Amino acid sequence: MLADGSTFEKVGVNRFAGGGALPSEMAARLGSERAQGLEVEFFATGVSVVCHPRSPMVPIVHMNVRYFQLTGPDGEVVDHWFGGGLDLTPTYPFPEDAVHFHRTLRRICMQHHPEYYDRFKAWCDRYFVNIHRDNENRGIGGIFFDNLRPGENGELDAEAAFALVRDVGLAMRVAYGPIVERRRKEPWGSREKELQLVRRGRYAEFNLVHDRGTKFGLQTNARIESVLMSMPPSANWGYNLTWPEGTFEHRLHQMLPPRNWADGVPDEFLTPVR
Amino acid sequence: MLADGSTFEKVGVNRFAGGGALPSEMAARLGSERAQGLEVEFFATGVSVVCHPRSPMVPIVHMNVRYFQLTGPDGEVVDHWFGGGLDLTPTYPFPEDAVHFHRTLRRICMQHHPEYYDRFKAWCDRYFVNIHRDNENRGIGGIFFDNLRPGENGELDAEAAFALVRDVGLAMRVAYGPIVERRRKEPWGSREKELQLVRRGRYAEFNLVHDRGTKFGLQTNARIESVLMSMPPSANWGYNLTWPEGTFEHRLHQMLPPRNWADGVPDEFLTPVR
């Protein structure tokens, strides 16, 4: 955990690796058909990173890679799969940053499988949604995937899937790093900070109400400070906030519905805002 | 909604009154045995108030009173019940305020039924708990009750139950008002504010993760700004925060496990903290 840095107010890095006998209610959730009716042991490992920048000009980034494995009574692997993702949650609307982020992810995914970017991008758009906020997306998306079973139904084999997941983890540096570099020195004031705190409130709502990993942690009595390391350092809740057209706050909200950012900046975002 | 007042940073008042055909999944949740197998209409009404003071020396208060009624095909009342409560969430530890709050509630409850204070106090202690935070109570409690069916099993009759619920609503003035009056002018600094923001974070967690009313609102697509009017104006999340014995932060956390505040200030709270 990094706290109170000059660029990042809070960065959480969570590594996990563990296993044991698979609790039956967990087996049902995992949806592993191959493990049904078997006494299995599970092994799970992964890394999560959440960066909450101090400046509202720098977006929040979230990365997660994970691997899950079920073994039978003789230690043989009964089922196994990968999951992962990388997504961006901006406060100040820079459409060109969303384009850079998605183009980088598309390029990296394309190195592994021709269909993965489109599939994982759409999955991310469906997953990071505050349903209770009239289906508002948490940010401008990225990629998200789960249950990638190596070699099944045309998926990559185990070694290639691991290479993909590794690249998703490393993608943070190239997809996010340049955005941090070019935005961290940009000036901002109380209006930008205020919007950041509101967006952090939405971030907190998604994590506590919808995020599967967090909900699972809350229900299974996991170490709470690890489960909630993704929470923003601070957040605000206003009442019935709206912003007039032509403001940067309004523009940010126009950027949230899913778009094909990798295709470039949409025309409607070429008009200036203030 | 009151925002940015000098004493209160945010006060939400939520009135509701409405009804219609009872959705089947709601019928099951309500647990009304009398309505089973019947086509019923429901009518629900209530008032909620949440006051978030600016000063960390003034506690948060939450009040809710509600009435629920199910009517059969001929308009006859098949089932009906009251619910309500009033509870306090302090930041700065003033044991004598907890005593005043609970004594006032005990006195008011005693005017209606000899057993209600003890029952409703224990119910409140069980309900406002962040289970995921190692069963930490949200505040120092108060009273909470639900499913008070008039005339059943020795409960008050309808008129007397309504008088009780009305008094619970009015109790806010006498149980909370004097605390606000004597604490609002007390000096405070950044340490007190910091603890307030952390406690507000716990308040937000309870509301989003555990509170039945909020969860119901989130799941039923209710007007979100009304459902979340109880959220704090701002909140912080630190990492693994602990405070040494002898500090006011540590004292506050010592006050959270349920106690019989109406009996007076426990001896252990007579030593000064700073």
Side-chain angles (χ1 to χ4, degrees):
Chain A
M1 179 69 60
L2 176 153
D4 261 329
S6 61
T7 300
F8 292 106
E9 213 172 313
K10 184 177 175 185
V11 175
V13 179
N14 195 9
R15 286 190 318 159
F16 62 94
L22 190 70
S24 58
E25 75 278 12
M26 203 164 149
R29 287 176 75 107
L30 290 174
S32 169
E33 289 177 21
R34 296 197 206 153
Q36 278 191 352
L38 288 177
E39 291 261 320
V40 296
E41 300 248 316
F42 79 97
F43 170 74
T45 186
V47 179
S48 291
V49 180
V50 180
C51 305
H52 287 284
R54 191 173 293 283
S55 163
M57 314 313 271
V58 182
I60 304 166
V61 79
H62 164 241
M63 187 281 286
N64 172 259
V65 285
R66 55 197 182 276
Y67 172 70
F68 219 97
Q69 179 176 289
L70 304 177
T71 49
D74 302 323
E76 79 281 14
V77 175
V78 177
D79 200 357
H80 65 153
W81 62 93
F82 291 95
L86 184 67
D87 65 280
L88 201 70
T89 305
T91 291
Y92 198 89
F94 292 112
E96 59 273 36
D97 290 355
V99 170
H100 166 78
F101 190 74
H102 275 277
R103 280 191 177 157
T104 307
L105 287 175
R106 183 171 65 180
R107 182 173 52 73
I108 290 167
C109 287
M110 283 297 178
Q111 291 163 5
H112 295 271
H113 194 292
E115 291 167 8
Y116 279 2
Y117 172 74
D118 287 345
R119 253 172 70 191
F120 297 170
K121 191 265 184 203
W123 202 335
C124 188
D125 287 337
R126 282 194 311 272
Y127 180 69
F128 292 103
V129 176
N130 272 324
I131 304 157
H132 66 281
R133 290 275 181 193
D134 203 13
N135 292 311
E136 184 181 84
N137 283 70
R138 183 171 83 168
I140 59 93
I143 56 171
F144 179 88
F145 60 97
D146 199 5
N147 302 112
L148 197 163
R149 291 187 158 80
E152 234 175 81
N153 301 320
E155 304 286 16
L156 301 174
D157 65 28
E159 205 134 327
F162 178 63
L164 163 76
V165 166
R166 193 168 174 277
D167 274 359
V168 169
L170 295 172
M172 219 177 92
R173 231 168 36 186
V174 278
Y176 182 58
I179 297 174
V180 177
E181 275 312 317
R182 69 182 181 236
R183 301 301 175 198
R184 62 201 286 256
K185 298 285 171 58
E186 295 229 6
W188 52 270
S190 58
R191 239 181 89 192
E192 288 80 8
K193 193 69 190 176
E194 192 55 41
L195 182 63
Q196 184 192 49
L197 292 170
V198 171
R199 298 313 306 168
R200 284 179 175 177
R202 301 284 194 278
Y203 206 90
E205 287 177 26
F206 179 82
N207 287 10
L208 293 175
V209 179
H210 301 295
D211 186 68
R212 289 192 303 193
T214 306
K215 279 168 85 169
F216 188 72
L218 293 177
Q219 284 159 9
T220 53
N221 234 343
R223 180 172 176 272
I224 193 64
E225 292 294 333
S226 298
V227 174
L228 296 184
M229 66 101 190
S230 60
M231 295 295 278
S234 58
N236 279 8
W237 279 270
Y239 178 71
N240 235 357
L241 302 170
T242 54
W243 295 275
E245 227 170 299
T247 60
F248 71 80
E249 294 95 337
H250 186 265
R251 169 67 50 90
L252 185 273
H253 290 89
Q254 283 182 299
M255 283 177 62
L256 298 179
R259 286 167 194 279
N260 293 322
W261 290 109
D263 292 347
V265 175
D267 286 348
E268 60 181 299
F269 293 146
L270 297 176
T271 53
V273 285
R274 49 183 294 167
Chain B
M1 181 67 60
L2 176 152
D4 261 329
S6 61
T7 301
F8 292 106
E9 212 172 313
K10 184 176 176 187
V11 175
V13 179
N14 196 8
R15 285 190 317 160
F16 62 94
L22 189 72
S24 58
E25 75 277 12
M26 204 165 149
R29 285 176 76 105
L30 290 175
S32 170
E33 290 177 20
R34 297 198 206 152
Q36 277 191 352
L38 288 175
E39 292 262 318
V40 296
E41 302 250 316
F42 79 98
F43 170 74
T45 185
V47 180
S48 292
V49 180
V50 181
C51 305
H52 287 284
R54 190 173 294 281
S55 164
M57 314 314 270
V58 182
I60 305 167
V61 78
H62 164 242
M63 187 280 288
N64 173 259
V65 285
R66 53 195 185 277
Y67 172 71
F68 219 97
Q69 179 176 288
L70 304 176
T71 50
D74 302 322
E76 78 282 12
V77 175
V78 176
D79 199 356
H80 65 154
W81 63 91
F82 290 95
L86 183 68
D87 65 280
L88 200 70
T89 305
T91 291
Y92 198 88
F94 292 114
E96 59 273 36
D97 291 355
V99 171
H100 166 78
F101 190 74
H102 275 277
R103 282 192 176 156
T104 308
L105 286 175
R106 182 171 65 178
R107 181 173 53 73
I108 290 168
C109 287
M110 282 298 177
Q111 291 163 4
H112 294 272
H113 194 291
E115 291 167 8
Y116 279 2
Y117 172 74
D118 287 345
R119 254 172 68 192
F120 298 170
K121 192 267 183 202
W123 202 334
C124 188
D125 287 337
R126 283 194 310 272
Y127 180 69
F128 291 103
V129 175
N130 271 324
I131 304 158
H132 66 281
R133 291 274 182 193
D134 203 12
N135 292 312
E136 184 181 83
N137 282 71
R138 184 171 82 169
I140 58 92
I143 56 172
F144 179 87
F145 61 98
D146 200 6
N147 302 112
L148 198 163
R149 290 187 159 79
E152 233 175 82
N153 301 322
E155 305 284 16
L156 301 174
D157 66 26
E159 205 135 327
F162 178 63
L164 163 76
V165 166
R166 190 168 177 277
D167 273 359
V168 169
L170 295 171
M172 218 176 92
R173 232 168 35 186
V174 280
Y176 182 58
I179 297 173
V180 177
E181 275 312 315
R182 68 181 181 238
R183 300 303 175 198
R184 62 201 287 255
K185 298 285 170 58
E186 294 228 8
W188 51 272
S190 58
R191 238 181 90 192
E192 289 80 7
K193 192 68 191 176
E194 193 54 42
L195 182 62
Q196 184 191 51
L197 292 169
V198 171
R199 297 313 306 167
R200 284 178 176 178
R202 301 284 194 276
Y203 205 91
E205 287 177 24
F206 179 83
N207 287 9
L208 293 174
V209 178
H210 302 295
D211 186 68
R212 288 192 304 193
T214 306
K215 279 168 85 169
F216 188 72
L218 294 176
Q219 284 159 8
T220 53
N221 233 341
R223 181 172 175 272
I224 193 64
E225 292 293 334
S226 298
V227 174
L228 296 184
M229 67 100 190
S230 60
M231 294 297 276
S234 59
N236 279 9
W237 279 270
Y239 178 72
N240 235 358
L241 301 171
T242 54
W243 294 275
E245 227 171 300
T247 60
F248 70 81
E249 293 95 337
H250 186 264
R251 169 67 51 90
L252 185 271
H253 290 90
Q254 283 182 298
M255 284 177 61
L256 298 179
R259 284 166 194 278
N260 294 323
W261 290 109
D263 293 346
V265 176
D267 286 349
E268 61 180 299
F269 293 146
L270 297 176
T271 54
V273 286
R274 49 182 295 169

